[in-house]
Amino acid sequence: MERQVKSKENAITTNQYMLKWIDRVAKICKPKQIVWITGEQEQLESLRKEACELGIFHKLNEEKLPDCYLHRSDPNDVARVEGRTYICSRKEEDAGPTNNWMEPKEMYEKLENLYDGSMKDREMYIIPFSMSIVGSPFSKYGIEITDSLYVVLSMAIMTRIGKPVLEAIGDSKEFTKGVHSKAGLDPEKRYIAHFPEDNAIMSINSGYGGNVLLGKKCLALRIASYLGRRDGWMAEHMLILGIENPKGEVRYVAAAFPSACGKTNLAMLIPPKHFVRSGWKTYCVGDDIAWLRVGEDGRLWASNPEYGFFGVAPGTNEKSNYNALASTKKNTIFTNVALDRDDNTVWWEGLTKEPPKNALNWKGEPWDPASGEKAAHPNSRFTAPAENCPCISTEFNSAKGVPISAIIFGGRRAKTAPLVYQSRDWNHGVFVGSIMASETTAAITGETGVVRRDPMAMLPFCGYHMGDYWQHWIDMGRKIEHKPKIFNVNWFRTDDEGKFIWPGFGDNLRILEWILIRCHDGFDAVETPIGNVPYPEDIDIDNLEDVTIDTLKELLKVDEKLWKEEMEGVREFYKKFGKKLPDKLAAELDATEKRLNQ
Ligand code: GTP
Ligand code: SPV
Ligand code: MN
């Protein structure tokens, strides 16, 4: 009989609870060896070498892209799988109508069978990681057990890892227990299961992004949103951006957009030229996840629990997102992009106008630019250290975070949603977030371009009943003395030919300027049935070729007929939540319909 490997043999902790749990997992998964990830550079370097030898990584041009690697995931495994993502709370009602649910016992049994022997002839890596700063009272610690080197090396970029985390955990049982195995990558047996009451996450048969980097969506959003409700704070799918005006005042906004709808781009935006000349500056605090707490000063403070960016590659270039591109110039892992064989660098649609002549596509096959096929997968990504970002905020490493002036919701809507509007007050703002809808993107498996409701951009990430989540937002509003103002934006309105009307990207600062003036110095606004929109004259459109006052009028128009239909859709959507729909939101819906019918 094979000898069972024991966690103790080379353990770097004496935490008995942890060691026993790891032994239980090892007994099921049957790895050939247990490897503790210390976080030390020598270990990571030797693991990167090993990944290259095994063909998991391809080392890129050391001069042009030092310490950068290309990884290709299985072609059937290129995005989050929402249909196979579960919230296994003890009671079904606690998962709510927007999550898949399975009884914990049933899921544990199912998974135990799937994990049985899944790490045979493989190493089992133990990654101690921290979401937020190690040692801070706000951080959440986790251990991810995985058989994937890609996961180890990605977690080393995306989170703070290693011995300091174990020291911070000490003998405590307070850490998230994460288990991941690639197993056979069988999509029919793929599960991403969360057990909020047990502080546990189990993922199997995937090797991609949000399915397997368990600190990110699984812990920092699904588990953390559950903990946040319990303990009086919030975990949100939001970027955090600092904006300095010519007077030298730095203000912060947090913005929730669904996957692949512009968070990373907004988080790193470069102001238009004449804004730069007059002294505007921007600072990135986070590009995907924000943890929000009420500070002693009665303001809402936001911090980014992550340590790196897992950003969408296609469309990223010098012009659209200089800072993101700069972040990927060293120590970066690229996943499912194309390989330019002439100089051993990477390429994706939109990086340069001229496609490479001698490239392999994201599957590793020779690529013909004339074929009409994409070279990079639409959801191809880069995993880059946040500290590479030229505009990273000095507050990035602050546990307390930054005070938030405005919360911004937004999505991809070809029609209906105006460029920007402001909610009437906090509860109306919660309503605005709850009715968000957006066209689906390549970040999830399934059809793209279908409009779906995605409240607060949290549809796939809320770890409990969405009705309770909305109530939590309303309750938080009562606790925040100096509440952020709440806005909604839409950069994606299109004309009759399907072209985007608003230039977007850096020019979005023109809208953020209006938002911040509304928050701090006042500016009048036009009241509409859905909220307040700017006077077109108040938006700076200097040096914009294709945008006139008339374009702005069009972009800011609230089409009452479309909005009446929209409210019918919301009423239908709200029915799902039954008794759990907060009264305040039902009242906001009634009031909005009333204003529309007046
Ligand atoms: P996740 O990482 O999946 O959460 O995505 P994200 O919200 O960070 O989206 P990201 O910033 O990566 O943008 C996704 C896509 O939207 C890219 O192809 C961008 O080029 C495009 N995009 C971002 N901002 C804008 C904008 O202001 N206007 C237009 N038209 N497209 C944009
Ligand atoms: C998203 O889909 O919102 C992402 C990428 O940020 S993933 O980590 O795969 O969830
Ligand atoms: Mn995201």
Side-chain angles (χ1 to χ4, degrees), residues 216-217 237 257-260 263 287-288 381 461:
K216 195 174 177 58
K217 295 302 165 53
H237 193 198
F257 310 152
S259 301
K263 287 183 300 305
D287 82 323
D288 197 50
R381 296 207 175 227
F461 307 121

Side-chain angles (χ1 to χ4, degrees), residues 5 42 71 77 79 121 194 217 225 243 305 348 404 411 459 485:
V5 293
E42 306 82 79
H71 169 77
D77 185 29
D121 301 323
H194 306 70
K217 295 302 165 53
S225 62
I243 301 161
W348 50 76
I404 295 299
L459 180 73
K485 304 274 191 287

Side-chain angles (χ1 to χ4, degrees), residues 73-132:
S73 70
D74 193 280
N76 82 32
D77 185 29
V78 292
R80 279 185 295 105
V81 279
E82 297 186 357
R84 312 201 63 93
T85 300
Y86 285 75
I87 300 296
C88 303
S89 43
R90 266 169 233 144
K91 285 196 267 166
E92 180 168 9
E93 196 193 20
D94 291 339
T98 55
N99 283 311
N100 300 309
W101 177 83
M102 200 184 286
E103 199 163 64
K105 190 164 167 283
E106 190 186 340
M107 183 60 96
Y108 280 130
E109 272 169 20
K110 184 189 273 296
L111 290 175
E112 201 158 308
N113 285 324
L114 295 176
Y115 281 109
D116 190 6
S118 68
M119 297 187 189
K120 208 164 174 298
D121 301 323
R122 295 181 188 170
E123 261 85 27
M124 175 165 123
Y125 303 98
I126 315 287
I127 317 167
F129 67 95
S130 173
M131 301 316 292
S132 194

Side-chain angles (χ1 to χ4, degrees), residues 259-425:
S259 301
C261 291
K263 287 183 300 305
T264 302
N265 277 272
L266 195 68
M268 299 177 193
L269 80 87
I270 293 185
K273 283 207 181 78
H274 71 287
F275 277 72
V276 174
R277 275 197 301 273
S278 57
W280 289 81
K281 296 191 181 85
T282 47
Y283 308 103
C284 172
V285 182
D287 82 323
D288 197 50
I289 299 179
W291 285 356
L292 306 167
R293 289 188 168 74
V294 187
E296 278 164 20
D297 61 0
R299 291 189 289 178
L300 189 64
W301 290 70
S303 66
N304 170 13
E306 300 193 275
Y307 201 45
F309 308 123
F310 185 58
V312 177
T316 307
N317 60 51
E318 290 276 335
K319 274 185 96 180
S320 67
N321 196 345
Y322 167 87
N323 288 310
L325 195 62
S327 306
T328 67
K329 293 297 178 193
K330 57 180 185 189
N331 307 103
T332 293
I333 302 170
F334 297 91
T335 304
N336 296 340
V337 300
L339 175 69
D340 182 343
R341 280 189 288 186
D342 284 335
D343 64 354
N344 195 26
T345 57
V346 287
W347 192 82
W348 50 76
E349 277 66 24
L351 175 62
T352 55
K353 286 216 176 75
E354 209 40 51
K357 289 188 189 68
N358 182 20
L360 296 181
N361 69 11
W362 64 276
K363 294 182 214 166
E365 305 155 346
W367 178 68
D368 174 5
S371 68
E373 277 174 24
K374 294 228 188 302
H377 188 276
N379 193 35
S380 56
R381 296 207 175 227
F382 52 81
T383 310
E387 283 172 343
N388 279 0
C389 181
C391 65
I392 195 74
S393 164
T394 50
E395 306 308 304
F396 170 70
N397 277 313
S398 144
K400 183 173 159 212
V402 295
I404 295 299
S405 297
I407 288 174
I408 305 170
F409 294 120
R412 253 175 216 272
R413 293 300 293 271
K415 301 273 170 303
T416 319
L419 180 58
V420 58
Y421 69 101
Q422 182 181 2
S423 67
R424 301 156 69 90
D425 55 29

